[in-house]
């Protein structure tokens, strides 16, 4: 009855409220714990005597539209005294809640690991620093172990390349971003997940479905954006050390300096190395490559306190991967005694990458209108060989985006418009046999894509948000591209939210750069002429329900997405066991993805996340519609995270369930080199224990506790220069149980 009464009042007052100009109130909610203020994630903020409100994000911050003449804002959080404040004409407020328990045995200051924003019209999952600490998280590829939306797996058993999957499709169709700059495209696709150390990341945002048009046309299934630690609010000093029992160790050192009230700078440095060769499955090949990586960022931030801000920075990376048979030392192929009985099959991938970025923005006096420029340049060079195959490539990329944002009449009608340009220069050379110069293939190309876009956002406070946008881009090879996209969010009730999206995306496939792991096989590479641009529609919807149970909030989410390809690069390993064919789609290709997920604090300090996903992914191969290979048709996840009072200890446990899937046919191989045409379900378990001290913490953990490994992942490993060698049919873990230890030390800013 109370809800019906409130809805009736809202309907009666709608006209008067709608007539008023919308004005946002922003703020931050903190908790006082032993004299120190800690940001509270997930605190409730709502207008007094209403159900109209929001929750704080991973920084404890919130944004809420004013509601009529109501000036009483209520802030509450379990374990703290509820506070009601009169905001009057304030636009920004800082609220510090006090504990309502004398002994402070509560979930004080415990930050939500990941959450979905109630305000964002897109289906966006925010992974916070707290979530990243639940696992070893040496780099971006390992940061999704406790996440139900993104899968990470090895793409082959020899190079250590990892691929993500979102909505049942590979990471090629996900737009990778670093601080809203498209990044890790082309040559960096396969190994880019390893280029961002976990200790550098402030947060990760995962957007499912098509993204907005502001960041470009390339998002087909979603977008992953990484936010680095910022000089303004990151630790003064941070040290992270990690080592595992197989000989991998790494060190991360971060530091930030506030030079004055306008200038800040930060340095992020990383070094990692794998020192020990392991072969737990006794196939004669290293289970993972020996790797050395040096990684560095220096960035500067400027804020004149009068509306202008800017950032500038450089990134440098040097990485070497050494894989192949045990005992291989990394000699170049032309230095080996080709044809000798004792010749070892080796893989060496030597990479150098340099980046420079610049951002500038100006906020006009109305605090509504703004203009910004984002620019990034990268140079990526990779020299590699796989047995007798040699692949050398370089890529130069430039990206710029000029963005203008303002309103039309009032803040319920916002728009963004701008101009962008993406330019890429690829220089690729492939020798199928480096001893035979006539096997060399050139795959050089230049791309230049200028574009313009407009995006309109309509907001009916606390009820409806619509984002409609379109962009026009001109590709120097493929012509004009039109990209329409639409997002809708509707609040059925304050605790029931429906979202829907639809849109189109394009991308230029990089045949060798994105599939170079296939060179670690004896398969011939057959690429058809005139590879077209990939083009797909994506549409879907989700519903999120928040339910209060025993003073704690249960979050339930159900979603469905479909991706329909109008054109696609088909990677066909089914026609022949001795070749892989790349050609344009001739037929249907689609992906259906359905997922349900629940989150709840079952007991004080014990968070539970459970999810289940079904994948229906099919592509036409050589005229036949078939399941895409090496993808599990079902996926489940259970994550338990328990923190003791005052967060002195934390225990994290994750179980990943992976369903069965299809394997490309190997029936034409000799019997000893054949594999089953499908793989069965399997389970992977990870666990970690963390002990917290005042300025530092130590953690120990294990990955793949059950020691599950794919049987015989390499075909014909005893004859790697023969015609049947293949390391690319990977559907499960190739490495067994891993124990690790680490420590983190930080000197926080006041």
């Amino acid at each position: 009855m109370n809800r019906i009464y409130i809805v009736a009042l809202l309907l009666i007052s709608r006209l008067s409220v709608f007539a008023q100009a919308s004005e946002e109130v922003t703020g931050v909610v903190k908790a006082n714990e032993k004299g120190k203020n800690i940001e509270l994630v997930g605190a409730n903020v709502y207008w007094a005597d209403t159900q109209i409100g929001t929750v704080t994000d991973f920084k404890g911050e919130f944004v809420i539209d004013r509601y009529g003449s109501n000036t009483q804002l209520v802030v509450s959080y379990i374990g703290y005294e509820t506070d009601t404040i009169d905001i009057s004409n304030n636009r920004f407020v800082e609220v510090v809640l006090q504990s309502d328990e004398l002994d402070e045995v509560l979930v004080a200051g415990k930050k939500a690991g990941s959450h979905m924003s109630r305000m964002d019209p897109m289906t966006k999952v925010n992974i916070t620093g707290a979530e990243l600490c639940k696992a070893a998280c040496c780099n971006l590829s390992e940061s999704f172990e406790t996440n139900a939306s993104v899968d990470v797996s090895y793409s082959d058993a020899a190079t250590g390349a990892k691929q993500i999957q979102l909505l049942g499709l590979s990471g090629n169709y996900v737009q990778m971003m670093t601080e809203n700059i498209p990044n890790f495209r082309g040559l960096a696709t396969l190994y880019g997940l390893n280029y961002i150390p976990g200790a550098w990341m402030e947060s990760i945002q995962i957007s499912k479905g098509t993204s907005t048009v502001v960041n470009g046309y390339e998002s087909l299934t979603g977008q992953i954006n990484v936010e680095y630690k910022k000089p303004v609010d990151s630790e003064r000093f941070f040290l992270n050390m990690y080592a595992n029992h197989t000989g991998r160790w790494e060190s991360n050192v971060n530091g930030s300096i506030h030079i004055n009230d306008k200038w800040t700078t930060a340095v992020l440095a990383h070094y990692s190395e794998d020192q020990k060769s392991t072969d737990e499955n006794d196939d004669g090949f290293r289970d993972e490559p020996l790797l050395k990586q040096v990684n560095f960022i220096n960035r500067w931030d400027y804020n004149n306190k009068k509306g202008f801000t800017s950032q500038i920075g450089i990134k440098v990376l040097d990485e070497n991967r050494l894989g192949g048979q045990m005992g291989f030392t990394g000699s170049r192929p032309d230095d080996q005694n080709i044809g000798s009985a004792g010749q070892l099959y080796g893989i060496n991938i030597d990479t150098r990458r340099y980046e420079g970025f610049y951002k500038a923005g100006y906020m006009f006096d109305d605090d509504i209108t703004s203009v910004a420029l984002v620019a990034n340049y990268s140079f990526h060079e990779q020299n590699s060989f796989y047995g007798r195959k040699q692949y050398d490539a370089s890529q130069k990329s430039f990206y710029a985006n000029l963005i203008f944002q303002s309103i039309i009449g009032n803040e319920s009608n916002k728009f963004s418009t701008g101009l962008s340009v993406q330019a890429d220069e690829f220089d690729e050379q492939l020798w199928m046999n480096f001893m035979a110069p006539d096997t060399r293939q050139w795959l050089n190309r230049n791309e230049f894509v200028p574009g313009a876009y407009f995006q309109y956002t309509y907001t009916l406070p606390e009820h409806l948000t619509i984002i409609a946008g379109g962009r026009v881009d001109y590709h120097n090879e493929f012509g004009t591209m039109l990209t329409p996209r639409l997002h809708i969010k509707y609040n059925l009730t304050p605790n029931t939210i429906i979202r829907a999206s639809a849109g189109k995306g394009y991308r230029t496939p990089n045949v060798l750069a994105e599939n170079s792991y296939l060179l670690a096989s004896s398969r011939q590479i057959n690429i058809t002429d005139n590879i077209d641009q990939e083009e797909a529609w994506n549409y879907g919807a989700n519903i999120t329900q928040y339910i209060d149970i025993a003073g704690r909030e249960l979050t339930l989410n159900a979603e469905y997405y479909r991706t329909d390809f109008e054109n696609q690069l088909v990677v066909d390993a089914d026609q022949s066991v001795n070749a892989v064919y790349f050609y344009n789609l001739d037929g249907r290709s689609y992906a259906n993805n359905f997922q349900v997920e629940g989150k709840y604090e079952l007991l004080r300090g014990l968070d539970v996340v459970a999810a289940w996903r079904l994948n229906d992914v099919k592509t036409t191969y050589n005229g036949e519609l078939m399941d895409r290979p090496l993808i599990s048709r079902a996926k489940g996840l259970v994550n338990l995270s328990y923190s003791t009072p005052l967060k002195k200890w934390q225990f994290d446990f994750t179980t990943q369930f992976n369903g069965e899937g299809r394997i490309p046919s190997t029936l034409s191989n000799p019997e000893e080199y054949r594999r089953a045409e499908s793989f069965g379900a399997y389970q992977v378990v990870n666990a970690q224990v963390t002990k917290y001290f005042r300025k530092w913490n130590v953690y120990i953990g294990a990955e793949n506790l059950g020691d599950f490994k794919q049987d015989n992942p390499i075909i014909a490993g005893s004859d790697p220069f023969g015609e049947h060698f293949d390391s690319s049919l990977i559907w499960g873990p190739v490495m067994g149980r891993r124990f690790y230890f680490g420590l983190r030390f930080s000197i926080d800013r006041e």
Side-chain angles (χ1 to χ4, degrees):
M1 291 298 293
N2 289 337
R3 179 170 294 180
I4 295 174
Y5 177 69
I6 292 173
V7 171
L9 288 179
L10 290 176
L11 290 174
I12 294 172
S13 62
R14 176 55 57 196
L15 290 176
S16 62
V17 173
F18 182 75
Q20 298 182 34
S22 174
E23 182 181 346
E24 290 181 342
V25 176
T26 62
V28 60
V29 179
K30 301 180 180 180
N32 185 278
E33 182 183 346
K34 292 187 175 180
K36 184 178 180 180
N37 291 338
I38 299 175
E39 293 81 6
L40 284 179
V41 178
N44 297 305
V45 181
Y46 57 95
W47 294 108
D49 301 320
T50 76
Q51 295 186 31
I52 298 174
T54 185
V55 294
T56 55
D57 63 15
F58 62 92
K59 292 183 178 180
E61 298 174 352
F62 68 88
V63 178
I64 188 171
D65 289 321
R66 289 186 181 272
Y67 181 68
S69 60
N70 196 331
T71 62
Q72 300 297 306
L73 202 60
V74 181
V75 182
S76 67
Y77 192 82
I78 297 173
Y80 292 92
E81 296 179 357
T82 299
D83 194 5
T84 301
I85 55 176
D86 190 327
I87 61 166
S88 298
N89 295 320
N90 294 336
R91 281 194 167 187
F92 178 86
V93 293
E94 179 175 328
V95 184
V96 180
L97 300 182
Q98 303 297 321
S99 170
D100 65 359
E101 300 187 20
L102 295 177
D103 57 2
E104 295 192 42
V105 180
L106 42 84
V107 192
K110 180 183 178 183
K111 294 187 176 183
S114 64
H115 65 279
M116 185 182 296
S117 170
R118 295 196 189 201
M119 307 297 290
D120 202 307
M122 294 189 292
T123 304
K124 182 180 292 184
V125 178
N126 294 291
I127 300 177
T128 69
E131 183 78 4
L132 298 175
C133 290
K134 289 183 178 181
C137 193
C138 294
N139 52 55
L140 180 60
S141 70
E142 298 177 352
S143 62
F144 304 111
E145 290 183 355
T146 60
N147 183 270
S149 298
V150 180
D151 297 330
V152 180
S153 61
Y154 285 94
S155 57
D156 70 281
T159 69
K162 289 184 178 181
Q163 285 196 356
I164 62 171
Q165 293 176 3
L166 182 65
L167 303 187
L169 292 168
S170 67
N172 299 348
Y173 304 109
V174 179
Q175 187 177 34
M176 294 296 302
M177 312 275 288
T178 54
E179 299 188 344
N180 292 312
I181 297 174
N183 214 332
F184 304 129
R185 306 160 58 255
L187 293 179
T189 300
L190 277 183
Y191 306 104
L193 295 175
N194 297 311
Y195 296 163
I196 303 180
W200 290 9
M201 294 185 287
E202 178 186 78
S203 64
I204 306 171
Q205 293 82 45
I206 305 169
S207 300
K208 297 181 183 180
T210 183
S211 64
T212 66
V213 297
V214 174
N215 293 321
Y217 56 86
E218 289 187 322
S219 172
L220 273 69
T221 61
Q223 186 182 90
I224 295 178
N225 180 58
V226 176
E227 292 290 333
Y228 293 117
K229 292 182 177 179
K230 309 295 192 301
V232 173
D233 53 13
S234 65
E235 309 95 341
R236 289 185 177 180
F237 177 80
F238 178 83
L239 171 68
N240 170 243
M241 302 290 290
Y242 165 94
N244 70 21
H245 85 280
T246 62
R248 174 181 173 82
W249 69 275
E250 73 168 58
S251 175
N252 297 281
V253 179
N254 307 340
S256 65
I257 300 174
H258 287 198
I259 299 174
N260 52 44
D261 63 342
K262 296 180 180 179
W263 283 98
T264 59
T265 186
V267 172
L268 311 176
H270 166 90
Y271 180 81
S272 60
E273 183 173 351
D274 288 274
Q275 298 177 321
K276 181 181 177 182
S277 297
T278 59
D279 180 20
E280 296 180 358
N281 54 18
D282 297 321
D283 60 7
F285 277 72
R286 292 184 174 99
D287 294 333
E288 57 184 334
L290 300 181
L291 183 146
K292 291 184 180 180
Q293 185 188 104
V294 178
N295 213 337
F296 174 86
I297 291 181
N298 179 219
R299 61 186 300 168
W300 294 75
D301 287 15
Y302 173 78
N303 188 336
N304 70 353
K305 310 298 183 180
K306 297 179 180 179
F308 178 77
T309 61
S310 66
Q311 302 175 33
I312 191 170
I314 59 169
K315 306 176 188 177
V316 179
L317 174 127
D318 189 286
E319 181 184 88
N320 185 271
R321 292 171 178 265
L322 184 66
Q325 289 182 295
M326 299 287 288
F328 178 72
T329 59
S331 300
R332 294 291 298 179
D334 49 359
D335 294 334
Q336 298 181 65
N337 184 12
I338 299 299
S340 68
Q343 180 189 353
L344 296 176
Y345 185 97
I347 299 171
N348 186 267
I349 304 169
D350 191 26
T351 303
R352 287 157 300 282
R353 182 178 177 87
Y354 310 99
E355 286 187 58
F357 68 90
Y358 177 75
K359 297 181 179 181
Y362 180 75
M363 178 69 72
F364 291 85
D365 292 338
D366 59 5
D367 290 333
I368 297 173
T369 304
S370 65
V371 62
L373 173 66
V374 177
N376 188 79
Y377 174 81
S378 66
F379 173 75
H380 189 110
E381 183 179 44
Q382 175 182 311
N383 299 309
S384 57
F385 60 86
Y386 306 76
R388 294 172 187 167
K389 298 184 181 75
Q390 184 169 333
Y391 175 59
D392 295 336
S394 65
Q395 176 184 351
K396 300 174 184 177
S397 295
F398 174 76
Y399 170 81
N401 191 6
L402 180 64
I403 311 166
F404 179 78
Q405 297 179 329
S406 190
I407 62 173
I408 303 174
N410 58 58
E411 291 188 44
S412 292
N413 300 275
K414 299 179 181 179
F415 72 92
S416 301
T417 188
L419 303 172
S420 68
V421 62
Q422 176 72 60
D424 295 282
E425 179 182 323
F426 289 89
D427 183 359
E428 299 176 86
Q429 302 177 58
L430 171 66
W431 289 262
M432 292 303 292
N433 185 338
F434 71 90
M435 295 295 290
D438 59 343
T439 65
R440 182 167 63 173
Q441 303 176 46
W442 297 84
L443 291 93
N444 299 342
R445 75 174 192 277
N446 294 325
E447 292 186 61
F448 184 76
V449 190
Y453 58 87
F454 182 86
Q455 180 171 285
Y456 168 73
T457 302
Y458 171 75
T459 304
L460 184 62
E462 310 305 330
H463 282 274
L464 177 67
T465 302
I466 299 175
I467 299 178
R471 60 179 298 131
V472 179
D473 297 270
Y474 182 79
H475 196 288
N476 62 310
E477 292 188 14
F478 300 106
T480 302
M481 299 177 293
L482 301 177
T483 309
R485 291 177 181 174
L486 176 68
H487 298 268
I488 300 173
K489 179 180 77 77
Y490 183 71
N491 292 24
L492 284 176
T493 72
N495 293 319
T496 306
I497 300 174
I498 295 177
R499 294 177 174 88
S501 66
K504 199 173 191 179
Y506 302 83
R507 68 178 299 273
T508 303
N510 301 284
V511 179
L512 279 183
E514 296 167 358
N515 299 280
S516 59
Y517 65 91
L518 292 169
L519 298 176
S521 71
S522 62
R523 291 177 180 265
Q524 291 296 313
I525 305 297
N526 298 308
I527 305 173
T528 192
D529 294 331
N530 301 318
I531 294 294
D532 291 333
Q533 196 171 40
E534 293 186 294
E535 182 178 348
W537 287 90
N538 181 285
Y539 35 88
N542 83 321
I543 181 169
T544 306
Q545 179 69 50
Y546 301 94
I547 305 172
D548 184 76
I549 301 177
R552 303 184 181 96
E553 189 172 73
L554 168 65
T555 302
L556 299 174
N557 185 73
E559 61 191 31
Y560 168 77
Y561 286 92
R562 180 179 174 92
T563 307
D564 267 317
F565 285 90
E566 295 189 359
N567 187 60
Q568 185 179 25
L569 173 69
V570 177
V571 183
D572 186 351
D574 283 279
Q575 285 192 50
S576 171
V577 295
N578 301 120
V580 58
Y581 296 86
F582 298 89
Y583 52 83
N584 295 312
L585 177 68
D586 183 13
R588 301 170 61 201
S589 181
Y590 61 83
N592 294 310
N593 186 273
F594 174 74
Q595 178 172 309
V596 292
E597 182 177 0
K599 298 181 180 181
Y600 185 62
E601 187 181 6
L602 187 62
L603 302 172
R604 175 156 291 185
L606 175 61
D607 292 325
V608 179
V609 178
W612 186 259
R613 182 170 71 250
L614 296 176
N615 297 317
D616 174 28
V617 187
K618 288 183 169 60
T619 299
T620 301
Y621 296 95
N622 197 27
E624 182 180 356
L625 186 64
M626 305 168 64
D627 286 338
R628 291 199 68 170
L630 310 176
I631 295 176
S632 293
R633 296 188 183 97
K635 172 77 180 239
L637 178 139
V638 174
N639 173 255
L640 306 176
S641 180
Y642 175 71
S643 292
T644 61
L646 299 182
K647 199 176 181 180
K648 294 182 177 180
W649 290 87
Q650 181 165 325
F651 304 87
D652 295 288
F653 178 89
T654 303
T655 300
Q656 300 173 0
F657 304 92
N658 300 272
E660 61 182 13
R662 186 178 75 84
I663 300 175
S665 176
T666 55
L667 285 178
S668 58
N669 270 341
E671 186 173 353
E672 65 270 27
Y673 298 145
R674 294 175 186 171
R675 296 292 185 268
E677 295 192 356
S678 65
F679 59 88
Y682 64 94
Q683 180 178 346
V684 176
V685 178
N686 303 320
Q688 179 176 288
V689 178
T690 307
K691 169 61 177 173
Y692 288 90
F693 300 91
R694 184 177 179 182
K695 293 185 179 297
W696 58 289
N697 64 74
V698 295
Y699 56 94
I700 58 173
E703 298 174 306
N704 195 3
L705 265 173
D707 201 32
F708 177 84
K709 298 185 292 290
Q710 178 180 336
D711 292 332
N712 302 314
I714 296 179
I715 298 176
S718 60
D719 185 21
F721 294 100
E723 61 178 325
H724 302 295
F725 172 67
D726 193 352
S727 69
S728 65
L729 303 184
I730 301 302
W731 48 264
V734 295
M735 295 182 295
R737 187 184 296 114
R738 291 289 187 272
F739 295 101
Y740 61 85
F741 166 84
L743 66 87
R744 306 181 185 98
F745 173 79
S746 65
I747 300 176
D748 295 330
R749 197 161 298 283
E750 293 295 334

